Amino acid sequence: NKKPVVYYGSSITQGGCASRPGMSYPAIISRKFDCDYINLGFSGNARAEDEMIEYIKNLDMSIFVYDYDHNAPTVEHLEKTHEKMFKIIREQNPELPVIMMSRPRCFLNEQEKERFEIIRKTYTDAIANGDKNVYLIDGKTLMKDTENDGTVDDAHPNDLGFYSMAKAV
């Protein structure tokens, strides 16, 4: 594929806590499929800002993957921005495959369950509107190969966690 895969998200997307840059899940996927990628992972700062949405929607990309849930400061912020981001990018890129991901976690507390439902709603609304090129990967699926040993702090994946995420994606 000549167009890069674009990833947008948190320090997890960035590759924080990987033992080396090549062990982030975007890098693993890039090697596996011999495709270029743009990593827009920002530790603590990816919050679906209007300026970032405008920038991303104009990128020439083959796939868009987004998972900024960890950086959305509140449930309300995620609810206000998640579907909005999808719709703006979809409007500009009607055929683009879009992958939505939730936090890579096997067990969710009540607030994390609320956050996942917001992401799932964006996905189900897209499907209900006839979108056939949108995908959702939940955190349990992302971490299924880790037996709960895939993070360094119950949030940031280690190399095993990133490998599991890459396999899921």
mmCIF file of all heavy atoms in Angstrom, residues 113-135:
data_model
loop_
_atom_site.group_PDB
_atom_site.id
_atom_site.type_symbol
_atom_site.label_atom_id
_atom_site.label_comp_id
_atom_site.label_asym_id
_atom_site.label_seq_id
_atom_site.Cartn_x
_atom_site.Cartn_y
_atom_site.Cartn_z
ATOM 1 N N LYS A 113 -16.193 1.430 31.605
ATOM 2 C CA LYS A 113 -17.334 0.826 30.889
ATOM 3 C C LYS A 113 -18.155 1.913 30.200
ATOM 4 O O LYS A 113 -18.594 1.735 29.062
ATOM 5 C CB LYS A 113 -18.200 0.012 31.852
ATOM 6 C CG LYS A 113 -17.545 -1.271 32.309
ATOM 7 C CD LYS A 113 -18.402 -1.995 33.337
ATOM 8 C CE LYS A 113 -17.672 -3.218 33.868
ATOM 9 N NZ LYS A 113 -18.436 -3.884 34.954
ATOM 10 N N GLU A 114 -18.353 3.042 30.875
ATOM 11 C CA GLU A 114 -19.058 4.175 30.259
ATOM 12 C C GLU A 114 -18.312 4.664 29.020
ATOM 13 O O GLU A 114 -18.918 4.950 27.988
ATOM 14 C CB GLU A 114 -19.170 5.345 31.240
ATOM 15 C CG GLU A 114 -20.219 5.223 32.293
ATOM 16 C CD GLU A 114 -20.263 6.482 33.144
ATOM 17 O OE1 GLU A 114 -20.626 7.559 32.614
ATOM 18 O OE2 GLU A 114 -19.908 6.374 34.344
ATOM 19 N N ARG A 115 -17.013 4.775 29.138
ATOM 20 C CA ARG A 115 -16.190 5.229 28.017
ATOM 21 C C ARG A 115 -16.303 4.257 26.848
ATOM 22 O O ARG A 115 -16.421 4.674 25.701
ATOM 23 C CB ARG A 115 -14.735 5.387 28.458
ATOM 24 C CG ARG A 115 -14.495 6.567 29.361
ATOM 25 C CD ARG A 115 -13.083 6.549 29.928
ATOM 26 N NE ARG A 115 -12.762 7.768 30.618
ATOM 27 C CZ ARG A 115 -12.238 8.852 30.051
ATOM 28 N NH1 ARG A 115 -11.939 8.870 28.777
ATOM 29 N NH2 ARG A 115 -11.990 9.927 30.765
ATOM 30 N N PHE A 116 -16.258 2.972 27.143
ATOM 31 C CA PHE A 116 -16.377 1.996 26.067
ATOM 32 C C PHE A 116 -17.735 2.125 25.379
ATOM 33 O O PHE A 116 -17.825 2.021 24.147
ATOM 34 C CB PHE A 116 -16.172 0.564 26.560
ATOM 35 C CG PHE A 116 -16.392 -0.444 25.470
ATOM 36 C CD1 PHE A 116 -15.481 -0.543 24.418
ATOM 37 C CD2 PHE A 116 -17.513 -1.242 25.449
ATOM 38 C CE1 PHE A 116 -15.696 -1.433 23.371
ATOM 39 C CE2 PHE A 116 -17.730 -2.132 24.421
ATOM 40 C CZ PHE A 116 -16.820 -2.236 23.377
ATOM 41 N N GLU A 117 -18.781 2.348 26.131
ATOM 42 C CA GLU A 117 -20.115 2.486 25.531
ATOM 43 C C GLU A 117 -20.189 3.699 24.598
ATOM 44 O O GLU A 117 -20.887 3.670 23.589
ATOM 45 C CB GLU A 117 -21.196 2.540 26.606
ATOM 46 C CG GLU A 117 -21.414 1.207 27.292
ATOM 47 C CD GLU A 117 -21.682 0.058 26.316
ATOM 48 O OE1 GLU A 117 -22.449 0.242 25.348
ATOM 49 O OE2 GLU A 117 -21.104 -1.032 26.520
ATOM 50 N N ILE A 118 -19.464 4.754 24.907
ATOM 51 C CA ILE A 118 -19.415 5.920 24.014
ATOM 52 C C ILE A 118 -18.747 5.533 22.697
ATOM 53 O O ILE A 118 -19.238 5.878 21.614
ATOM 54 C CB ILE A 118 -18.659 7.086 24.701
ATOM 55 C CG1 ILE A 118 -19.490 7.622 25.861
ATOM 56 C CG2 ILE A 118 -18.311 8.181 23.701
ATOM 57 C CD1 ILE A 118 -18.729 8.523 26.820
ATOM 58 N N ILE A 119 -17.646 4.815 22.776
ATOM 59 C CA ILE A 119 -16.943 4.379 21.565
ATOM 60 C C ILE A 119 -17.819 3.414 20.779
ATOM 61 O O ILE A 119 -17.946 3.528 19.557
ATOM 62 C CB ILE A 119 -15.583 3.746 21.939
ATOM 63 C CG1 ILE A 119 -14.683 4.808 22.590
ATOM 64 C CG2 ILE A 119 -14.905 3.129 20.714
ATOM 65 C CD1 ILE A 119 -13.473 4.252 23.307
ATOM 66 N N ARG A 120 -18.451 2.476 21.490
ATOM 67 C CA ARG A 120 -19.333 1.523 20.806
ATOM 68 C C ARG A 120 -20.497 2.248 20.126
ATOM 69 O O ARG A 120 -20.910 1.876 19.036
ATOM 70 C CB ARG A 120 -19.855 0.468 21.771
ATOM 71 C CG ARG A 120 -20.668 -0.569 20.994
ATOM 72 C CD ARG A 120 -21.444 -1.614 21.749
ATOM 73 N NE ARG A 120 -21.261 -1.783 23.133
ATOM 74 C CZ ARG A 120 -20.945 -2.942 23.694
ATOM 75 N NH1 ARG A 120 -20.735 -4.007 22.955
ATOM 76 N NH2 ARG A 120 -20.859 -3.035 25.002
ATOM 77 N N LYS A 121 -21.019 3.293 20.747
ATOM 78 C CA LYS A 121 -22.128 4.049 20.149
ATOM 79 C C LYS A 121 -21.685 4.709 18.842
ATOM 80 O O LYS A 121 -22.439 4.714 17.866
ATOM 81 C CB LYS A 121 -22.663 5.095 21.126
ATOM 82 C CG LYS A 121 -23.856 5.862 20.564
ATOM 83 C CD LYS A 121 -24.363 6.895 21.543
ATOM 84 C CE LYS A 121 -25.572 7.638 21.051
ATOM 85 N NZ LYS A 121 -25.531 8.156 19.701
ATOM 86 N N THR A 122 -20.497 5.273 18.812
ATOM 87 C CA THR A 122 -19.992 5.833 17.553
ATOM 88 C C THR A 122 -19.987 4.762 16.472
ATOM 89 O O THR A 122 -20.440 4.996 15.351
ATOM 90 C CB THR A 122 -18.563 6.398 17.735
ATOM 91 O OG1 THR A 122 -18.573 7.391 18.745
ATOM 92 C CG2 THR A 122 -18.045 6.999 16.429
ATOM 93 N N TYR A 123 -19.507 3.592 16.828
ATOM 94 C CA TYR A 123 -19.441 2.468 15.893
ATOM 95 C C TYR A 123 -20.846 2.021 15.455
ATOM 96 O O TYR A 123 -21.114 1.890 14.258
ATOM 97 C CB TYR A 123 -18.685 1.308 16.549
ATOM 98 C CG TYR A 123 -18.753 0.025 15.775
ATOM 99 C CD1 TYR A 123 -18.002 -0.155 14.626
ATOM 100 C CD2 TYR A 123 -19.577 -1.012 16.199
ATOM 101 C CE1 TYR A 123 -18.064 -1.336 13.909
ATOM 102 C CE2 TYR A 123 -19.649 -2.192 15.502
ATOM 103 C CZ TYR A 123 -18.892 -2.356 14.356
ATOM 104 O OH TYR A 123 -18.967 -3.526 13.646
ATOM 105 N N THR A 124 -21.739 1.790 16.409
ATOM 106 C CA THR A 124 -23.077 1.293 16.048
ATOM 107 C C THR A 124 -23.868 2.344 15.268
ATOM 108 O O THR A 124 -24.639 1.988 14.376
ATOM 109 C CB THR A 124 -23.868 0.815 17.281
ATOM 110 O OG1 THR A 124 -23.976 1.868 18.227
ATOM 111 C CG2 THR A 124 -23.204 -0.403 17.907
ATOM 112 N N ASP A 125 -23.674 3.618 15.584
ATOM 113 C CA ASP A 125 -24.336 4.675 14.799
ATOM 114 C C ASP A 125 -23.833 4.657 13.357
ATOM 115 O O ASP A 125 -24.619 4.820 12.412
ATOM 116 C CB ASP A 125 -24.088 6.054 15.413
ATOM 117 C CG ASP A 125 -24.884 6.294 16.681
ATOM 118 O OD1 ASP A 125 -25.740 5.454 17.043
ATOM 119 O OD2 ASP A 125 -24.646 7.344 17.334
ATOM 120 N N ALA A 126 -22.538 4.459 13.177
ATOM 121 C CA ALA A 126 -21.984 4.395 11.818
ATOM 122 C C ALA A 126 -22.569 3.206 11.056
ATOM 123 O O ALA A 126 -22.983 3.350 9.895
ATOM 124 C CB ALA A 126 -20.462 4.299 11.873
ATOM 125 N N ILE A 127 -22.623 2.061 11.684
ATOM 126 C CA ILE A 127 -23.200 0.864 11.058
ATOM 127 C C ILE A 127 -24.671 1.103 10.717
ATOM 128 O O ILE A 127 -25.131 0.780 9.621
ATOM 129 C CB ILE A 127 -23.042 -0.375 11.976
ATOM 130 C CG1 ILE A 127 -21.565 -0.713 12.180
ATOM 131 C CG2 ILE A 127 -23.828 -1.567 11.447
ATOM 132 C CD1 ILE A 127 -20.829 -1.169 10.961
ATOM 133 N N ALA A 128 -25.416 1.685 11.659
ATOM 134 C CA ALA A 128 -26.840 1.975 11.442
ATOM 135 C C ALA A 128 -27.048 2.933 10.279
ATOM 136 O O ALA A 128 -28.078 2.872 9.593
ATOM 137 C CB ALA A 128 -27.464 2.548 12.709
ATOM 138 N N ASN A 129 -26.055 3.799 10.020
ATOM 139 C CA ASN A 129 -26.133 4.736 8.898
ATOM 140 C C ASN A 129 -25.586 4.153 7.600
ATOM 141 O O ASN A 129 -25.376 4.872 6.630
ATOM 142 C CB ASN A 129 -25.413 6.038 9.246
ATOM 143 C CG ASN A 129 -26.179 6.857 10.251
ATOM 144 O OD1 ASN A 129 -27.404 6.929 10.206
ATOM 145 N ND2 ASN A 129 -25.477 7.473 11.183
ATOM 146 N N GLY A 130 -25.326 2.841 7.593
ATOM 147 C CA GLY A 130 -24.912 2.172 6.369
ATOM 148 C C GLY A 130 -23.416 2.091 6.130
ATOM 149 O O GLY A 130 -22.980 1.642 5.071
ATOM 150 N N ASP A 131 -22.613 2.528 7.078
ATOM 151 C CA ASP A 131 -21.157 2.481 6.908
ATOM 152 C C ASP A 131 -20.697 1.028 6.964
ATOM 153 O O ASP A 131 -20.978 0.310 7.919
ATOM 154 C CB ASP A 131 -20.472 3.284 8.005
ATOM 155 C CG ASP A 131 -19.039 3.647 7.674
ATOM 156 O OD1 ASP A 131 -18.304 2.763 7.198
ATOM 157 O OD2 ASP A 131 -18.659 4.811 7.890
ATOM 158 N N LYS A 132 -20.010 0.587 5.939
ATOM 159 C CA LYS A 132 -19.531 -0.790 5.875
ATOM 160 C C LYS A 132 -18.013 -0.878 6.006
ATOM 161 O O LYS A 132 -17.436 -1.935 5.787
ATOM 162 C CB LYS A 132 -19.976 -1.431 4.564
ATOM 163 C CG LYS A 132 -21.485 -1.595 4.456
ATOM 164 C CD LYS A 132 -21.861 -2.292 3.185
ATOM 165 C CE LYS A 132 -23.310 -2.515 2.943
ATOM 166 N NZ LYS A 132 -24.298 -2.175 3.864
ATOM 167 N N ASN A 133 -17.377 0.226 6.361
ATOM 168 C CA ASN A 133 -15.925 0.228 6.438
ATOM 169 C C ASN A 133 -15.435 0.825 7.760
ATOM 170 O O ASN A 133 -14.483 1.585 7.793
ATOM 171 C CB ASN A 133 -15.335 0.985 5.242
ATOM 172 C CG ASN A 133 -14.097 0.318 4.715
ATOM 173 O OD1 ASN A 133 -13.645 -0.697 5.242
ATOM 174 N ND2 ASN A 133 -13.518 0.893 3.683
ATOM 175 N N VAL A 134 -16.134 0.450 8.819
ATOM 176 C CA VAL A 134 -15.781 0.903 10.161
ATOM 177 C C VAL A 134 -15.686 -0.331 11.060
ATOM 178 O O VAL A 134 -16.457 -1.278 10.906
ATOM 179 C CB VAL A 134 -16.805 1.931 10.692
ATOM 180 C CG1 VAL A 134 -18.195 1.350 10.811
ATOM 181 C CG2 VAL A 134 -16.358 2.532 12.000
ATOM 182 N N TYR A 135 -14.713 -0.306 11.957
ATOM 183 C CA TYR A 135 -14.423 -1.476 12.780
ATOM 184 C C TYR A 135 -14.189 -1.045 14.216
ATOM 185 O O TYR A 135 -13.678 0.035 14.468
ATOM 186 C CB TYR A 135 -13.182 -2.204 12.244
ATOM 187 C CG TYR A 135 -13.308 -2.485 10.771
ATOM 188 C CD1 TYR A 135 -12.864 -1.555 9.829
ATOM 189 C CD2 TYR A 135 -13.930 -3.641 10.319
ATOM 190 C CE1 TYR A 135 -13.015 -1.785 8.473
ATOM 191 C CE2 TYR A 135 -14.082 -3.878 8.959
ATOM 192 C CZ TYR A 135 -13.628 -2.945 8.044
ATOM 193 O OH TYR A 135 -13.796 -3.169 6.708
#
